[in-house]
Amino acid sequence: MTDMNAINAINAVSAISAISGGNDLVQCERLGRHALLVLNRPDKLNALSYALIDALMARLDALETDPAVRCVILTGSGTRAFSAGADIAGFAPDIAASPEQALRRFLQQGQAMTRRIETFPKPVIAAVNGLAFGGGCETMEACSLAIAAEHATFAKPEIKLGFPPTFGGTQRLPRHVGRKRANEMILTGEPIDAASALRFGLVNEVVSGADLLPACLRLADRIARHSAIAVTASLRAVTRGINLPIDEGLAVEAMQFMVAAASHDAREGTSAFVEKRPAVFRDA
Ligand code: COA
C-alpha cells in the first residue's frame, strides 16, 4: 500500500464511523481523488426510500461533473446492512393503490436509479458492508465493481412479498451468475453468503470487515493511475456493448476507441511506452 493509500484508507474508516447516523440520507465524503457515498438509514437497514433514492441521484449528479473525483465508493451506514432493499412501508401504498401507480412510482424510480449507477461514467465500487437484499442487491449488481465484507449476505426476497425483483434484478442477476443460479435465488428468496457471491462472480473480492474500505480504495487507486478518458471509454464500451450482438458491440468498442484515441492521453501513453518512460496522463 502506498503512503497515500494508507492515509486514504485510515480516513475512510474514520469518515464512515464519523458520518454513520448523521442526518443526510446519503452521506458524501471526499477521500483524496475518490468519493465515498453512504446510504444512511441504519435503523431501517438502509432501506431505499423514495427520498433516499432522490438523494443518491443528486449525489451522483454532483460527482459526475466534478473532475477531481475519479471513482465513487458506495456503501451502507453501519456494519449490518449495505441495504435491505426498497422501502416496503414506503411503496406498499403504491401497490395497494394500483399496478400503474406502483409501476410509475416504485419500479420506474428504482430502475432509473440502478441504470444511472450502471451507466455512470466513472467507476462505482460497491463496498458491501453487510446484507444486500432486494433492491440493495440490485444496486450492488448495477455497480461497475464490488468488494464484500466476509459477513455480507445477498438475497432476492421479493418472492416472499408476492412479486418478482423490480430494480433490474431479473435482468442483471442472470447476466452475472447464469440463469439457473439466478432462478434459485429469485424463486427461493434465500440468501447466499459472500464466499458464494465471489464464486458466482457477483463480487470481485471478499475481505474482512475492517479491510473493506481500504480494499475499495486500493482498487480505486489502481484504476485512477490511468487516463480518466480511457477509463470512461472502457466503462462505456463494456456497459453499452454487453447486451448487444457481437457486431454491434464491436461498433461500440470502435466508437469508444475513437474518443480515447483523439485524446492527449492516448498519444502520451503510447509515446511513453516507446520512449521507455512513465506516462504522464493529463487526466490521471
Ligand atoms: N423496507 C423497509 N423497512 C425495512 C426493510 C425494507 N426493505 N428491511 C428492514 N426494514 C426495517 C424493519 O422494518 C425494522 O424496522 P423497525 O425496527 O422500525 O421495525 C428495521 O429495518 C430492522 O429490520 P428487522 O426486520 O427488525 O431486522 P431482522 O434482523 O429481524 O431482519 C431482514 C433482517 C433483512 C431479514 C428483514 O428486515 C427483511 O426481511 N427485510 C425485508 C427485505 C426485503 O424483502 N427486501 C426487498 C424489498 S422489495
Side-chain angles (χ1 to χ4, degrees):
M1 190 188 282
T2 66
D3 286 349
M4 193 58 211
N5 279 340
I7 291 163
N8 277 346
I10 292 158
N11 284 345
V13 175
S14 51
I16 197 154
S17 44
I19 60 188
S20 291
N23 287 328
D24 287 355
L25 287 170
V26 178
Q27 301 270 6
C28 183
E29 284 286 314
R30 287 291 297 278
L31 300 170
R33 291 177 294 175
H34 312 300
L36 175 68
L37 292 182
V38 184
L39 308 173
N40 190 35
R41 294 182 75 206
D43 52 329
K44 299 289 182 188
L45 304 182
N46 304 318
L48 306 167
S49 61
Y50 293 145
L52 185 147
I53 292 173
D54 285 345
L56 178 57
M57 297 290 254
R59 291 292 194 197
L60 291 172
D61 287 348
L63 295 175
E64 178 175 6
T65 53
D66 184 342
V69 171
R70 294 297 309 273
C71 298
V72 176
I73 298 168
L74 179 62
T75 195
S77 178
T79 54
R80 260 218 79 203
F82 176 75
S83 170
D87 186 320
I88 301 169
F91 72 73
D94 294 322
I95 297 224
S98 70
E100 292 75 20
Q101 182 166 321
L103 180 78
R104 199 172 58 251
R105 281 178 52 83
F106 166 51
L107 179 141
Q108 288 179 349
Q109 199 180 354
Q111 286 191 352
M113 177 197 68
T114 52
R115 189 65 177 148
R116 174 78 169 123
I117 293 170
E118 186 171 49
T119 58
F120 199 67
K122 306 177 187 194
V124 182
I125 303 172
V128 190
N129 57 308
L131 60 89
F133 281 15
C137 191
E138 290 166 310
T139 299
M140 182 279 304
E141 288 158 26
C143 291
S144 9
L145 299 142
I147 299 181
E150 54 202 0
H151 68 277
T153 52
F154 303 79
K156 298 282 185 195
E158 291 89 344
I159 196 87
K160 299 180 190 173
L161 302 173
F163 55 81
T166 46
F167 291 6
T170 61
Q171 301 308 301
R172 292 192 186 94
L173 187 66
R175 285 165 166 80
H176 280 296
V177 306
R179 185 162 70 99
K180 290 197 171 51
R181 280 176 178 150
N183 277 340
E184 187 174 341
M185 286 182 73
I186 290 167
L187 300 178
T188 67
E190 293 164 7
I192 62 168
D193 61 15
S196 302
L198 180 64
R199 203 169 64 248
F200 295 174
L202 204 49
V203 299
N204 295 81
E205 195 181 343
V206 175
V207 298
S208 70
D211 195 35
L212 181 62
L213 287 170
C216 289
L217 280 166
R218 288 195 295 274
L219 178 57
D221 280 347
R222 281 162 54 206
I223 295 167
R225 66 172 69 121
H226 303 299
S227 158
I229 291 173
V231 167
T232 296
S234 302
L235 280 175
R236 287 191 166 134
V238 170
T239 308
R240 293 179 186 174
I242 198 163
N243 299 317
L244 296 174
I246 186 75
D247 284 331
E248 290 173 40
L250 291 172
V252 170
E253 182 178 274
M255 200 173 72
Q256 293 305 320
F257 167 75
M258 291 300 281
V259 171
S263 71
H264 160 273
D265 286 353
R267 291 189 297 280
E268 166 62 11
T270 47
S271 305
F273 180 86
V274 172
E275 293 160 17
K276 298 188 185 304
R277 61 172 176 81
V280 182
F281 293 122
R282 226 173 244 172
D283 297 298

